[in-house]
């Protein structure tokens, strides 16, 4: 078996709405179903969504404070005041800052720009930066993607004689800064129709208010920041990102082109931005300073852009290694803090030397591993100050949770799903306790089970190049408009192999009703040891087109999968079964709990006792001629009951059907069986006896055994004459002896001249031989498909 990581659900579209949309818009039913489940259930809504036309953009002056912001900037332009653009160090902040720089250049303003250092300064406005700007003659500060919670800093700027125009999109706090004006669609008194703009989206709206015709290339920056900041790709964002992607495809900005080249991206879409471009932009601010990323996005020099892009690529690789190292440290710390294996409702971990530029990524990886709201903080060993990032799960509003314990924090800000904060290490214990207490109020058991929602249930024959091309009507994909996910049941695994660096990924070939499709599962390389050819797999996946050497074919991107039946793993006849058992046992120990269960070993009493001591954590059952199966030791019996075993290693094949029955009866919950016993040898093979064979042997006995014959000599001669194995001849003679057809005396065999007539079926040994032959045929000689079917049938019969 393979247990799904998620609890699956499937959206159920209104069938009448789907039928109507299919008819009115001449759409394929699959596309119509997706539109309906996403809320575009009428022709008018669907057309507006699909067209993504500029008529869907809102008047920038609908944003509260926009009129005042424009007036103040124009006043600064006329008076040749020096303007400071104050941004943030993430991809949205970098995009926003670059947008404002391009705007200031376009307006021929006297300006400068500033982004704080992530680890040395942290998020938000800083008094020392404002003071230095004032000394350089700055009289107007325009913030982008930051400032909505900078109450004290804005007040300080006013004492320096500077006005502050705040443009932001983060959640507004209860107390707002007394800036010259605030531009943020999330302000409670702002009536702007679309609340989901990224920081760069707000900056773009300011540009639209100030410039009659904004260059179309600026939408490339909107696309980058919006996708990178995980903003919803609906409403205005869908329109602006669509325009940005078209512009990026047709005539990319110099820096964008360099990013695309260094990332090796052939296609330009939201996935390219999210997984290729944004991480490299973010790497700059995470490990060094975000100013280099800004320089990349504003330069028009191809050589300079290429050099910066190469550096960001190297920084991104370094960032990946740092993240892996901190993840390992964090997991170790969590396990040490909770040796009983429990995981708290909210995970709070902090470490000295942890790079605060990547703690958000680490938090995301721990959420993926444990599915708990997670906060990861880096501690400054000298000052004791902690800076961190949080990632949450549905149902736990991280911003609200931080607000509940605001008295413990020096600073915080963010969204319901992600946030940043700083505090002293002395407050960490109380901080963790407060966050967990909040979880007790708002979360229940169901919140801790991750849910994976599929858009549609379909079959493999519906996944083809033409249907996938039709889905492109819904692009760009992203938050609130995800790439369609399909639930597909009952596919058969034809082949499964690991691929990629360190064999971290998996490629699975699936078949259903004659249709064959390849699936790729990123990060699921360990599944290779949990899947067998022929297994029936249910899965949730996205669909894409794989283009290679001019060939185009459908491909599934597997998100989660499950095998609902027990599986048999065939290592029969392997040269070193104990070494293989070591390897399999290590793999089993590394599995996540949902696929781990309890493991046990079955062997003969005289087999590999040294190994038992080596694998003392592995309970051992041994064959017994009378009981069928017994525990190897009382200590093992105390650790594990047979009904708890889900993984069974069989080192030696059972010698009798009774022993096999004992295995089936004892281990009723087994999910995976690993066969490590030797394969059968033809010279020792027993067969299901036939009347013809018995007649042939008996006829030969009448010729050879009227006088007493030595048993070894007779067995060899009968084996040569009948082509039966010596073992089969021996068992046949035992049946004849039970039926009194022959007699044995001191190693000699003699035929009884006038035996009583008795049917073969009356012999106990005859019936035992039939059962033994069947068991050995499957366990020692049959192919894995035939063997699996037989064992599963036996397991059902026992249950």
């Amino acid at each position: 078996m393979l247990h799904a990581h998620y609890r699956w659900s499937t959206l159920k579209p209104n069938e009448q709405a789907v039928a109507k949309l299919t008819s009115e818009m001449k759409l394929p039913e699959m596309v119509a179903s997706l539109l309906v489940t996403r809320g575009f259930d009428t022709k008018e809504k669907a057309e507006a969504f699909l067209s993504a036309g500029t008529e869907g953009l809102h008047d920038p002056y609908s944003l509260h404070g926009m009129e005042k912001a424009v007036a103040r900037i124009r006043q600064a332009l006329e008076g040749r005041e020096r303007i400071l653009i104050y941004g943030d160090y993430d991809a949205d902040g970098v995009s926003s800052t670059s947008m404002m720089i391009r705007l200031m250049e376009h307006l021929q303003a006297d300006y400068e720009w500033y982004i704080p250092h992530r680890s040395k300064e942290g998020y938000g406005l800083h008094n020392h930066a404002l003071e230095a700007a004032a000394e350089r003659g700055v009289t107007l500060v325009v913030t982008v993607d930051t400032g909505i919670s900078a109450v004290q800093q804005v007040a300080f700027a006013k004492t320096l004689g500077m006005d502050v125009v705040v443009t932001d999109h983060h959640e507004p706090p209860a107390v707002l800064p007394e800036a010259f004006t605030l531009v943020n669609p999330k302000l409670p008194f702002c009536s702007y129709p679309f609340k989901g703009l990224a920081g760069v989206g707000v900056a773009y709206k300011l540009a639209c208010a100030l410039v009659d015709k904004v260059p179309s290339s600026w939408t490339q920056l909107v696309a980058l920041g919006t996708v990178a900041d995980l903003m919803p790709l609906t409403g205005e964002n869908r329109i602006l990102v669509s325009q940005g992607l078209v512009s990026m495809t047709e005539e990319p900005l110099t820096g964008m082109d360099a990013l695309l080249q260094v990332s090796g991206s052939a296609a330009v879409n939201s996935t390219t931005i999210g997984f290729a471009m944004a991480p490299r932009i973010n790497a700059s601010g995470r490990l060094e300073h975000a100013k280099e990323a800004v320089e990349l996005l504003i330069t028009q020099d191809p050589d300079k852009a290429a050099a910066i892009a190469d550096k960001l690529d190297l920084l991104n690789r370094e960032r990946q290694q740092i993240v892996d190292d901190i993840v390992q440290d964090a997991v170790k710390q969590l396990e040490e803090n909770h040796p009983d294996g429990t995981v708290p409702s909210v995970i709070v971990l902090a470490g000295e030397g942890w790079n605060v530029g990547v703690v958000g990524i680490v938090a995301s990886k721990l959420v993926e591993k444990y599915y708990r709201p997670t906060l990861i903080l880096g501690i400054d060993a000298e000052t004791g100050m902690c800076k961190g990032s949080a990632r949450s799960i549905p149902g736990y509003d991280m911003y609200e949770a931080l607000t509940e314990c605001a008295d413990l924090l020096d600073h915080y800000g963010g969204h319901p799903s992600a946030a940043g904060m700083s505090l002293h290490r002395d407050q960490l214990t109380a901080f963790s306790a407060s966050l967990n207490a909040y979880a007790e109020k708002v979360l229940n058991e169901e919140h801790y089970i991750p849910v994976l929602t599929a858009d549609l249930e379909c079959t493999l024959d519906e996944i083809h190049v033409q249907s996938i091309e039709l889905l492109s009507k819904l692009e760009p994909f992203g938050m609130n408009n995800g790439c369609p996910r399909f639930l597909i049941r009952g596919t058969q695994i034809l082949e499964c192999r690991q691929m990629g660096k360190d064999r971290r990924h998996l490629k699975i070939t699936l078949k259903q009703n004659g249709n064959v499709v390849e699936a790729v599962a990123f990060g699921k390389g360990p599944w290779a040891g949990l899947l067998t050819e022929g297994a029936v797999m249910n899965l949730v996946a996205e669909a894409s087109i794989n283009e290679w050497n001019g060939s185009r074919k459908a491909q599934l991107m597997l998100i989660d999968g499950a095998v609902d039946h027990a599986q048999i793993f065939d290592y029969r006849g392997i040269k070193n079964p104990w070494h293989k058992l070591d390897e399999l046992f290590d793999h089993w120990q590394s599995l996540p709990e949902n696929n781990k269960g309890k493991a046990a070993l079955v062997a003969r009493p005289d087999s590999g006792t040294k190994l038992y001591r080596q694998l003392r954590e592995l309970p051992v059952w041994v064959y017994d001629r009378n009981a069928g199966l017994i525990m190897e030791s009382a200590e093992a019996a105390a650790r594990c009951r047979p009904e708890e075993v889900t993984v069974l290693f069989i080192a030696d094949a059972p010698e009798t059907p009774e022993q096999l029955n004992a295995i089936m009866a004892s281990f009723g919950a087994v999910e995976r069986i690993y066969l490590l016993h030797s394969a059968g040898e033809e010279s020792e093979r027993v067969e299901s006896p036939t009347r013809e064979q018995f007649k042939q042997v008996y006829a030969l006995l009448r010729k050879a055994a009227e006088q007493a014959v030595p048993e070894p000599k007779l067995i060899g001669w009968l084996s040569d004459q009948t082509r039966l194995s010596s073992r089969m001849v021996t068992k046949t003679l035992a049946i004849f002896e039970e039926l009194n057809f022959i007699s044995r005396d001191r190693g000699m065999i003699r035929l009884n001249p006038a035996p009583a007539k008795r049917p073969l079926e009356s012999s106990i040994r005859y019936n035992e031989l039939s059962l033994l032959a069947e068991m050995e045929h499957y366990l020692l000689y049959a192919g894995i498909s035939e063997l699996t079917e037989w064992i599963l049938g036996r397991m059902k019969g026992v249950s």
Side-chain angles (χ1 to χ4, degrees), residues 127 595 675:
N127 287 346
N595 274 302
L675 301 179

Side-chain angles (χ1 to χ4, degrees), residues 615-636:
L615 298 181
R616 54 188 178 274
E617 295 180 27
L618 185 61
V620 178
W621 271 263
V622 295
Y623 296 118
D624 180 79
R625 191 161 293 277
N626 297 315
L629 205 63
I630 60 173
M631 284 294 290
E632 187 260 343
S633 69
E635 179 188 355

Side-chain angles (χ1 to χ4, degrees), residues 27 80 95 133 210 237 267 371 388 436 700:
L27 289 172
R80 298 303 297 165
S95 303
L210 278 162
N237 285 347
Y371 203 66
N436 276 278
L700 291 169

Side-chain angles (χ1 to χ4, degrees), residues 446-509:
E446 284 196 356
H447 285 106
Y448 298 116
I449 303 173
V451 176
L452 180 61
T453 301
D455 296 274
L456 292 171
E457 183 168 350
C458 69
T459 53
L460 280 188
D461 64 316
E462 296 177 82
I463 305 298
H464 47 75
V465 171
Q466 292 77 14
S467 65
I468 298 170
E469 287 176 336
L470 289 171
L471 297 178
S472 64
K473 292 177 177 290
L474 305 178
E475 292 181 355
F477 297 129
M479 292 298 291
N480 290 20
N481 184 45
C483 183
R485 291 173 173 172
F486 303 99
L487 171 60
I488 307 172
R489 301 182 190 273
T491 69
Q492 185 183 30
I493 297 175
L494 295 183
E495 184 184 8
C496 177
R497 62 182 178 85
Q498 291 172 295
M499 64 177 195
K501 184 181 178 183
D502 302 326
R503 297 160 62 86
R504 292 179 60 187
H505 312 305
L506 200 65
K507 178 172 281 190
I508 309 173
T509 304

Side-chain angles (χ1 to χ4, degrees), residues 72 95 147 270 410 421:
R72 183 64 186 87
S95 303
S270 55
D410 284 36
M421 76 297 301

